[in-house]
Structures are given as C-alpha cells and as structure tokens.
C-alpha cells in the first residue's frame, strides 16, 4: 500500500517551512537558581539543556505570525485559502487566535481556526488541512503550531518548568500529486478522553466557572502527571507510528528520518528503539536547545532540521506525536526539495 494513494482528491504537498523561537534562552542553571532541581537532573531525565522564553507581552499569535511569514516566503507565495493554528496557549480564551494571525499576514477573509490537541495539535491541524485539500475546499493551506507554553506554567513547579518552552513552526501545503515528494501520507489521529486528567489546566473553563466556585490561582496553571504521561506516550506513539509505517509500506529500518514530538529525549529513544528506527542521525532532535514546545514541536523540528541539512530531499520521513487529551497522531512523507527558513 502506498502512502496517500487511497485518499480521494489531490494530496497535500509541503511547499515551504518557517520557524522561530524567541531570542531569550533560559539555561538549566538559571532554573536551578530558584527551583529545587539541577542541570544534571534535567539533562539526564529529559535531555534538555535550555529552552526559549518570550519576553513579557509577546504572545502565541506573535510567534505564529513570524513563523508563518517565513513559511510563506519559503514557499514563494503570499496567499493561502485557510489558516489552521495548533496551540495550547491561545492569545485569549475567546476568540480563536488564527483569524487575527491571518489578518496580520494579509489574509483577511480566509477560513481561519484554532486546533486544540496540546502536543498533537500540529498533526491534527495537518490532517484537517490535508482533508480540506483532498475535498477541494482549499488549494493552499497554512498550518501553524505555536506556543508561549511558559505563560501557563506554575513558576514554582519543578516538574513542568524545566520541560516546556516557547516557539512556533509553520508549513505551507498545496494541492498536488500523491506520488510526488512532499505529499503527506494519510494522517492517523487518535484519542483517549479517559486519560484527560493526565495533562490539564484545572480552572478557567466552564466546569469550574459554572460550579460557582472560585478557583485558587494554582488551579489556573498547567499540571501534568509526568510518569503516567510518559508511559502512555511511549505506548501510543509507538503504536500509531507503526500503523503509519504499515500504511506507507516501509520497514522501520528504511526510515531515513524520524521526527518525533520532542517531549523528552528518553521517550523519543524508547519509541525509536521499539520501532527499530536506527540511532544517530536517523532520529531528529532539537530538544536539548528548545525543550518541549508542545504544538510547535514538530514543525519547529522539521524546519530547523531541514534548514541545517539534517533532513534532505528524498529522505523517507516518519512523523509522530502524543499529547494531552490524551491524543496521538502520525504520518509519513518523502521529504521534498523546498526551502526551510528560521528566525
Ligand atoms: O508533551 C507531551 C506530553 N508530555 C510528556 O510526554 C512528558 C512525559 N513525562 C516526562 O517527560 C517525565 O515523566 C518527567 C521529565 C516529567 C519526569 O521524569 P521522571 O523520570 O518520570 O521522574 P518522576 O516524575 O518519576 O520523578 C522522579 C523523582 C521524584 O522524586 P522521588 O519521588 O523519587 O523522591 C521527583 O520528585 O524526581 C523528582 N523530580 C525532580 N528532581 C529534580 C521531579 N522533577 C524534578 C526536577 N529536578 N526538575
């Protein structure tokens, strides 16, 4: 079975990528100065050495605009029929951030909406965009993953602060042929709401607001049950990645590049080991420099890797992610010869 051939209508083909991280890098030692942790613990348990944090006042929409401008420039276009923004940290609870991002990109009038699947948001957005293209609803779609994840962290929580960072990545998809390089294979997506408590912001939504209870400040921060999330992440990511490989007709040993959501270096290693993806350059990684950037993680990794020549035209590429919800997703593509621009 060949990737994408069973979709009706045109395939979604990557025609340009862009990404950015805010300038300020925060090292482990800086965190260890006020949290009960250490550079050694963070590196050993997560593979993270530093992450980027926005300056006060910079929003997710700001990062999304920068990444999207670079992706449009890389694709050599100024127009898109739709803007799909994956994020956990929208500029406001209401309305969605995508319409404002679209207008700032000069795209007023196009379909624009947010997709919310935490760290799987970009893959959910990619699948939605590919479906819009296959259905003839759009010829070209901008898919963005952007986060100011540090804005929802409890500054005193050593189990989340060292892990998460800010950033954005974007891809331009155009209608094309399923057999050409850059054509996204079927995007496999899944969820298990029975595990919704593993990753959450307890307060601020309708469940708390309609209860009449005033939530303590602590309940407005992001909370994660790390070790249970770890276990589910390894199992679900491995399973969905395996399914994507089967659909593509690829053996794991034939994968040139594995672009996994950068949740934790140990999770990525465990998944790649279980799949049988060779170690070393086959396993793309930027977690040491950017940490876990949630919805931005996959497009940031793809863009940085392609820009650095670590992901090249013709590479058989496997993409997989896992996030809150819980949610998961995977797809495959043969990497295209297109520009990737970083800021
Ligand atoms: O992005 C999508 C979803 N997110 C993920 O996939 C993240 C999944 N989870 C993880 O990456 C890991 O579970 C963490 C990095 C969050 C934690 O690593 P762990 O190896 O699972 O550690 P743990 O939570 O089991 O904690 C082990 C010990 C605990 O101490 P005790 O109870 O054994 O005495 C923690 O209190 O490490 C302690 N600990 C820390 N120590 C120093 C937890 N955080 C820290 C810290 N510094 N920052």
């Amino acid at each position: 079975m060949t990737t994408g051939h069973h979709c009706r209508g045109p395939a979604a083909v990557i025609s340009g990528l862009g990404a950015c991280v805010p300038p300020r890098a925060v090292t482990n030692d800086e965190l260890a100065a006020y949290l009960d942790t250490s550079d050694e613990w963070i590196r050993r348990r997560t593979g993270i050495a530093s992450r980027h944090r926005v300056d006060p006042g910079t929003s997710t929409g700001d990062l999304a605009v920068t990444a999207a401008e670079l992706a449009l420039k890389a694709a050599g276009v100024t127009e898109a029929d739709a803007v799909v923004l994956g994020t956990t940290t929208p500029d406001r609870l209401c309305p969605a951030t995508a319409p404002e991002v679209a207008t700032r990109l000069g795209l007023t009038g196009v379909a624009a909406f947010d997709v919310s699947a935490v760290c799987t948001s970009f893959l959910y957005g990619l699948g939605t965009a590919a479906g819009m293209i296959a259905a003839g609803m759009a010829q070209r779609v901008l898919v963005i993953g952007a986060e100011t994840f540090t804005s929802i962290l409890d500054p005193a929580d050593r189990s989340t602060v060292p892990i998460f960072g800010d950033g954005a990545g974007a891809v331009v998809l155009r209608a094309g042929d399923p057999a050409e390089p850059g054509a996204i294979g079927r995007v496999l997506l899944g969820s298990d709401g029975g595990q919704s408590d593993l990753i959450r912001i307890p307060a601020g939504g309708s469940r708390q607001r309609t209860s009449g209870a005033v939530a303590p400040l602590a309940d407005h921060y992001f909370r994660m049950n790390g070790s249970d999330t770890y276990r589910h992440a390894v199992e679900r990511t491995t399973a969905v990645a395996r399914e994507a490989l089967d659909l593509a007709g690829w053996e794991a040993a034939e994968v040139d590049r594995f672009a996994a959501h950068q949740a934790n270096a140990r999770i990525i290693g465990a998944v790649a080991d279980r799949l049988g993806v060779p170690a070393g350059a086959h396993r793309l990684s930027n977690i040491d420099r950017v940490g876990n950037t949630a919805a931005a993680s996959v497009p940031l990794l793809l863009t940085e890797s392609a820009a650095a020549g670590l992901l090249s035209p013709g590479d058989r590429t496997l993409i997989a992610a896992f996030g809150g919800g819980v949610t998961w997703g995977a797809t495959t593509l043969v990497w295209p010869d297109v520009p990737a621009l970083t800021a």
Side-chain angles (χ1 to χ4, degrees):
M1 196 183 291
T2 313
T3 308
H5 282 184
H6 291 257
C7 299
R8 263 176 283 145
V13 179
I14 293 186
S15 61
L17 301 97
C20 68
V21 287
R24 169 131 166 72
V26 181
T27 64
N28 293 343
D29 282 334
E30 276 182 72
L31 300 181
Y34 66 90
L35 284 173
D36 182 16
T37 187
S38 67
D39 176 52
E40 195 275 328
W41 192 95
I42 300 170
R43 281 180 198 261
R44 186 165 47 81
R45 301 298 270 252
T46 70
I48 300 167
S50 74
R51 73 289 296 144
H52 291 258
R53 184 188 288 166
V54 291
D55 290 326
T58 300
S59 76
T60 293
D62 296 335
L63 299 182
V65 166
T66 301
E69 281 172 344
L70 290 166
L72 290 166
K73 188 176 170 196
V77 298
T78 54
E79 303 286 328
D81 304 317
V83 175
V84 181
L85 173 65
T87 189
T88 317
T89 49
D91 286 8
R92 307 174 195 85
L93 210 50
C94 166
T97 305
E100 198 175 318
V101 167
T103 286
R104 290 173 63 186
L105 294 168
L107 300 173
T108 299
V110 308
F113 55 96
D114 292 0
V115 171
S116 176
V118 199
C119 301
T120 322
S121 297
F122 178 77
L123 272 171
Y124 267 76
L126 201 65
T128 305
M132 291 173 76
I133 287 172
M137 289 172 67
Q139 294 289 310
R140 192 182 294 133
V141 184
L142 186 58
V143 184
I144 310 168
E147 300 280 12
T148 46
F149 217 92
T150 59
S151 70
I152 55 172
L153 301 179
D154 176 349
D157 184 0
R158 72 172 181 174
S159 73
T160 55
V161 170
I163 296 173
F164 293 94
D166 302 333
V171 303
V172 176
L173 297 178
R174 64 166 170 80
D177 187 308
E180 68 178 298
I184 307 283
R186 197 191 307 171
V187 183
L188 302 172
L189 300 170
S191 72
D192 175 6
Q195 306 298 332
S196 59
D197 280 354
L198 290 184
I199 286 175
R200 65 194 179 126
I201 299 175
S206 66
R207 193 167 295 286
Q208 175 256 317
R209 287 171 180 242
T210 60
S211 73
V214 176
L217 178 62
D219 284 356
H220 287 274
Y221 288 125
F222 174 84
R223 301 293 171 197
M224 176 169 72
N225 176 337
S227 47
D228 285 350
T229 301
Y230 189 107
R231 231 184 20 258
H232 284 277
V234 172
E235 278 166 26
R236 295 297 191 180
T237 312
T238 305
V240 74
R242 225 174 240 149
E243 211 182 317
L245 288 178
D246 287 347
L247 264 179
W250 298 351
E251 297 294 329
E254 295 174 323
V255 170
D256 295 307
R257 295 293 181 265
F258 179 36
H261 163 50
Q262 303 288 289
N264 180 320
R266 287 158 53 217
I267 294 177
I268 302 164
V271 171
D273 286 347
R274 287 177 180 213
L275 290 171
V277 173
H282 286 75
R283 304 176 183 182
L284 297 176
S285 180
N286 63 357
I287 193 168
D288 59 324
R289 283 180 297 106
V290 303
N292 180 343
T293 58
S297 175
V298 165
L300 182 59
L301 177 67
L302 293 174
T303 307
E304 287 193 348
S305 301
L310 301 170
L311 176 57
S312 307
D315 281 347
R316 289 179 175 214
T317 307
L318 169 66
I319 301 174
F322 177 88
V326 293
T327 53
W328 56 85
T331 193
T332 56
L333 77 159
V334 174
W335 197 254
D337 190 2
V338 296
L341 303 174
T342 56

